Each structure stands twice: as C-alpha cells, then as structure tokens.
Amino acid sequence: MRWFATMLVALICIGMAGPVDAEEVKKIQDNAFLLEEAYNQEDGVIQHIQSYIYNKKTRDWLYSFTQEWPVPKQAHQLSYTIPIARFQEGDTTGLGDIAINYRYQLIMNGPLAVSPRFSLILPTGDEKKGMGTGATGYQVNLPVSVEIGHQWVTHWNAGATFTPDAKESSGSTADTLGYNLGASVIWLAEETFNIMTEVVWNSMEAVQPGGSKVRETTFFVNPGVRFAKNYKSGLQIVPGLSIPIGIGTSHGEYGALLYLSFEHPLF
C-alpha cells in the first residue's frame, strides 16, 4: 500500500500544479489503463508508463513499468513491460514475467488507427511462487482506435497468448492458451481532461498438478479519469485514476488503479 499512497500523492501534486508553459495544447492520446490504444509513439518521442492496481477483495497488488520507443519512426515501436506483484495468499512479492513488445502502425488515417502487436513473454518470474509460467510465451494483440467526432474516441482490443510447456509450482507442464477482449469509450471533456470507461475480459488456462489444466476468467468494468500537463520542452505528464469493478465471473471484486505517464522527446 505504500506505493499506492506514493503514487496518489504524486497525482494530487501534479493536479494542483500551476499553469503550464505549453505553447500548444497537446491532447491525451495513448494513455489507456487496461487496454491498448492504437497509436505508436511519435517520431523522436519516448514514453515511461507506471501503473498500480490494488484488489480490495484479495488484497493483492500489481505494479508495472513500461517504456516505449519509436524505432526509428512511428511506424515501428519497441517496448518492454516489467511487472512486480504481491499475493496475499502465501505472503509472496516478486518479479513477474517480463514482456518484450513490437507494434506496427498499420493504419493511421483520419479517425482510424490500427496497430497490431507481437510480444515475447520471458520466464523471469518464479513459477514456484506463482509469479510466472516458467516458460517463454507468445502473445498477439490487435488494438483498433476510432474517433467519433471531436469529443469521443472508442478503442477495441482482441488478442491471444500461447505458452508451450508452462509450469506449475510442483513442476508439471502443459501448453496453455489464453484470450483477451476489451473495449473502451473516452469522452474528451477537454483535450487535457478525459472521462473514460473500459471493459476488459480475460480467459487464461492454468496448469494443475499432474499436467491437467483449468481455465480462469476475469471480467472488469473500469471507469476513470485522466488529465495532462504539457510543457514547452515537449514533456507531457499524464496522471490517471480508475476503479476496476468485477462483474460476471469477477463479481464482488473491486479496487483501485493509479496511472502515471511521462512522455518527452529523446533529445
């Protein structure tokens, strides 16, 4: 909970800051919480993203750090994501499986953007502690973003994850397959203040002792807000806050999500 409090204080301080010295208003664009928006990093711009999710029911939390670069132009983007998790059951905290990501800006034309992603998921988490799969995984995701007029944007995601020879804590292995679907609608109340709602569904197989598998499904609605501070240097700071609420198979679960992004020119 210390990280939660620290990030909350950071959000409040940024929100209370005085007027920015930006020459032009730069709208919030690629700052979804649980989904991907289909906008690669602009030429010469790097982004650092942090998020912290706390589940009130289980008292588990997940912190992640992501860094994104254009390589070298917006058409191609490389990034990595480092997760650190805390599971109340077993009193365990540790590094999860790190993801190395490539995205291609397939379409960036008027109101429509499409940017398919392929990820290599490295077995850096300890599967004996429930922190990882113990095997290299492969993930694909298709984000699609559609602007509706000047004040509304929708985002759509569909993807899959395949992990051959995934392990459980006692050493049994099996191939696992997962799916993810999501959608969001964002109201640009101002270019630098957005009200948003995401809906995210995930279904993933988990290996059981003896090599059998069980499918685990989560389903959350995530209403929230985000805002931006822009500076002449090109720096954009985007804090955000949302409340994930479980529905369907996740009924009764809820928590809080804190988001903080720093985006700036490379040079």
Side-chain angles (χ1 to χ4, degrees), residues 61-63 83-87 92-96 125-126 129 131:
W61 55 254
L62 172 66
Y63 167 84
I84 299 174
R86 163 75 176 181
F87 299 133
T92 303
T93 305
L95 176 69
D126 188 345
K129 297 180 179 179
M131 293 294 171

Side-chain angles (χ1 to χ4, degrees), residues 58-60 86-92 129:
T58 62
R59 291 187 290 171
D60 298 337
R86 163 75 176 181
F87 299 133
Q88 187 68 22
E89 184 178 351
D91 192 23
T92 303
K129 297 180 179 179

Side-chain angles (χ1 to χ4, degrees), residues 36 117-121 137-142 157-163 176-181 201-204 215:
E36 287 185 67
R117 168 176 61 81
F118 171 77
S119 296
L120 189 66
I121 304 175
Y138 310 91
Q139 186 177 83
V140 292
N141 194 48
L142 181 64
N157 284 191
T161 304
F162 175 64
T163 307
T176 61
L177 183 62
Y179 306 99
N180 63 276
L181 295 171
W201 175 86
N202 289 280
S203 179
M204 188 67 193
R215 183 164 291 278

Side-chain angles (χ1 to χ4, degrees), residues 133 163 165-176 204-216:
T133 63
T163 307
D165 296 323
K167 298 178 183 177
E168 54 89 35
S169 58
S170 65
S172 297
T173 65
D175 297 347
T176 61
M204 188 67 193
E205 291 178 324
V207 183
Q208 303 298 294
S212 62
K213 295 182 287 187
V214 62
R215 183 164 291 278
E216 301 171 347

Side-chain angles (χ1 to χ4, degrees), residues 39 107-114 144-149 152-155:
Y39 309 114
I107 299 174
M108 189 71 171
N109 185 15
L112 176 64
V114 179
V144 177
S145 298
V146 182
E147 297 180 5
I148 303 173
W152 296 92
V153 186
T154 63
H155 305 282

